[in-house]
């Protein structure tokens, strides 16, 4: 019986001590959900020619982002990231970049970690398009006319060999979109 009472007291004390160390907020933090789009602008030229893996990059928001009636990301907020993956151009494919965003800094200097990527429709890979054929060859295409007479028409058919790829370049001042991959808890907002 003593062991049961001691076990009960031990569990009660550990539960109370865990509750004592939980942070208490006098306000509710705002959750920015995963999948949120944030419009940003580049502050420098980004290219697969000279940016390598882990190159540090920065972006700036040019629009206010609202959630319901609250402004959660004001104009002028800076976003910092890095090149996560770079692919060199090869024959048949252009160069490509994957840019990961890791930090957001408000205009008043408050820093907040976030997880996101620069968005593209190709699974967040910027560039990487297929190149044009190196040459075209002329092929006769026969069509039957009204009187069932076959007439030949010359068509240009692409050859199987493709051109060498080019480096992907994002100009300075280009408008891009950051997509969050995990929710961010915003505990800091600007009042003005």
């Amino acid at each position: 019986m003593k062991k049961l009472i001691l076990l009960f007291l031990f569990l009660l004390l550990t539960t109370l001590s865990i509750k004592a160390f939980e942070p208490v907020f006098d306000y509710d933090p705002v959750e920015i959900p995963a999948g949120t789009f944030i419009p940003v602008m580049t502050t420098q030229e980004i290219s697969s020619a000279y940016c390598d893996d882990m190159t540090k990059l920065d972006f700036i928001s040019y629009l206010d982002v609202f959630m319901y009636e609250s402004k959660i990301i004001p104009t002028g907020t800076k976003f910092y990231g890095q090149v996560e993956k770079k692919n060199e151009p090869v024959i048949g494919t252009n160069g490509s970049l994957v840019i990961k965003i890791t930090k957001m800094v408000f205009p008043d200097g408050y820093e907040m970690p976030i997880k996101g990527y620069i968005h593209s429709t190709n699974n967040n890979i910027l560039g990487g398009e297929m190149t044009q054929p190196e040459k075209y060859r002329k092929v006769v295409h026969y069509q039957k006319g009204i009187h069932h007479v076959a007439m030949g028409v010359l068509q240009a058919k692409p050859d199987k060999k493709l051109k060498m790829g080019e480096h992907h370049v994002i100009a300075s001042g280009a408008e891009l979109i950051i997509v969050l991959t995990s929710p961010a808890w915003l505990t800091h907002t600007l009042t003005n």
Side-chain angles (χ1 to χ4, degrees):
M1 186 70 174
K2 287 182 186 181
K3 289 181 182 179
L4 186 62
I5 292 172
L6 286 174
L7 179 66
F8 177 72
L9 286 174
F10 176 74
L11 290 174
L12 181 67
L13 289 176
T14 55
T15 307
L16 291 176
S17 65
I18 291 173
K19 290 284 186 185
F21 291 112
E22 285 184 6
V24 177
F25 294 112
D26 57 347
Y27 57 89
D28 291 331
V30 177
E31 178 189 4
I32 305 172
T36 301
F37 288 149
I38 304 168
V40 294
M41 184 183 307
T42 61
T43 58
Q44 78 269 15
E45 184 177 78
I46 304 168
S47 174
S48 61
Y50 52 82
C51 289
D52 56 351
D53 290 351
M54 307 313 264
T55 298
K56 304 290 183 193
L57 304 169
D58 56 327
F59 306 89
I60 191 164
S61 66
Y62 60 92
L63 293 173
D64 291 330
V65 177
F66 287 87
M67 181 173 286
Y68 305 111
E69 292 85 30
S70 347
K71 184 190 322 183
I72 56 171
I73 300 173
T75 301
T77 302
K78 292 185 179 180
F79 294 88
Y80 295 95
Q82 61 195 21
V83 175
E84 185 178 67
K85 185 177 180 186
K86 171 190 158 182
N87 293 324
E88 290 287 335
V90 293
I91 295 175
T93 307
N94 291 327
S96 64
L97 297 165
V98 176
I99 300 174
K100 181 179 183 178
I101 304 299
T102 56
K103 183 170 64 170
M104 174 172 63
V105 179
F106 286 95
D108 64 351
Y110 181 79
E111 295 183 8
M112 189 176 114
I114 60 170
K115 292 181 182 177
Y117 286 92
I118 297 294
H119 177 68
S120 76
T121 56
N122 187 16
N123 199 18
N124 298 332
I125 298 172
L126 304 168
E129 301 90 4
M130 194 169 132
T131 60
Q132 295 291 324
E134 191 169 278
K135 61 182 180 178
Y136 290 87
R137 51 192 172 100
K138 295 177 183 175
V139 177
V140 178
H141 178 69
Y142 293 101
Q143 297 176 340
K144 286 197 173 189
I146 297 172
H147 302 290
H148 302 288
V149 177
M151 297 177 61
V153 177
L154 274 180
Q155 286 187 333
K157 183 177 179 184
D159 202 14
K160 292 180 182 178
K161 191 172 181 184
L162 300 174
K163 290 182 182 178
M164 178 65 184
E166 298 176 357
H167 286 284
H168 183 72
V169 178
I170 301 171
S172 177
E175 296 176 358
L176 301 170
I177 293 176
I178 294 174
V179 62
L180 296 181
T181 56
S182 67
W185 290 94
L186 184 65
T187 58
H188 177 78
T189 55
L190 296 176
T191 56
N192 51 1

